[in-house]
Amino acid sequence: MSGTVAVLQRRSSRRDLAAVAVFSGVGLVLGGCGLLPGRRQEIEVAASSGLTDAVVAVGEDHEPRAVATAIGDEFDWDRFTVYTIGTPATTINEESGVVVETGERYSTQEVLYVFHQDGEAVRGVPLPFENLAHGAATWWGPRTQLVWDEERGTRLEDPDA
C-alpha cells in the first residue's frame, strides 16, 4: 500500500509542477504584454500640433525651435527617442515599457517619437518628416532643439549630448 501512495504522490507532484509551470508561463506572457493589473497597457499615440508647427517653421525661416517650447503644456516629458519605419515592435515596446506598437514592426510612413517622464513612456508622437529620422536610437533631452541644416534640412540637436 505504501508503494501505491508513493507513486500517487509522485504523479501528484509532477502535475503540480506542470500546473505551476503553465501558470507561470501565462503570467510571464501576460505581464510582458502589459495585461496584468497595475501595469499600463499602452500609451496615447497622437500628433502634436505644436511640434509639427515648429518643424515646419524651422524649415521655412531656418531659426531653431526648442522641442520643449513646441510641445508646451500638451504633456510632461523629460526625454524622448525616435523610431523609424521597420523598427521591430518588440524593440519599441521593450524600450518604452508599454505597448506602443501592436504590429510586428513600426510600419507607418511617419517617424515615431516616444516621450518619457521619469523613466516611463507617456506619449507617442508620429511626425511626417523623414529628415527627422536621423535621431533614431538616441535619447534626446529637454534642451533638444530643432535646427536647420543645409544638407539635411531640419534636424535635432541636443547641447547636452
Side-chain angles (χ1 to χ4, degrees):
M1 183 72 127
S2 65
T4 304
V5 171
V7 169
L8 289 175
Q9 285 177 336
R10 247 182 305 194
R11 285 184 188 159
S12 177
S13 295
R14 287 183 188 153
R15 266 190 255 132
D16 291 346
L17 287 173
V20 167
V22 167
F23 288 119
S24 296
V26 169
L28 288 173
V29 168
L30 292 176
C33 294
L35 300 176
L36 291 177
R39 182 163 175 182
R40 291 177 37 202
Q41 293 183 20
E42 55 187 60
I43 61 170
E44 178 181 11
V45 177
S48 164
S49 59
L51 190 54
T52 300
D53 292 347
V55 173
V56 171
V58 169
E60 290 174 351
D61 65 17
H62 302 181
E63 293 296 320
R65 304 286 194 296
V67 171
T69 303
I71 291 173
D73 60 1
E74 288 182 55
F75 54 92
D76 292 330
W77 63 278
D78 56 23
R79 68 183 188 146
F80 67 94
T81 192
V82 180
Y83 299 101
T84 59
I85 187 169
T87 303
T90 53
T91 299
I92 297 170
N93 296 339
E94 287 173 5
E95 289 179 3
S96 299
V98 293
V99 176
V100 177
E101 177 57 43
T102 56
E104 186 176 315
R105 296 183 173 281
Y106 183 65
S107 58
T108 70
Q109 294 299 319
E110 299 173 324
V111 178
L112 177 65
Y113 283 47
V114 178
F115 289 85
H116 292 246
Q117 175 72 30
D118 297 327
E120 192 171 312
V122 293
R123 176 134 171 218
V125 176
L127 289 167
F129 308 102
E130 288 182 37
N131 55 314
L132 292 177
H134 83 280
T138 301
W139 284 101
W140 298 92
R143 295 187 348 136
T144 300
Q145 292 193 26
L146 298 161
V147 298
W148 181 254
D149 182 305
E150 290 295 328
E151 292 179 24
R152 294 184 281 181
T154 305
R155 66 177 178 80
L156 297 171
E157 184 176 276
D158 186 346
D160 298 324

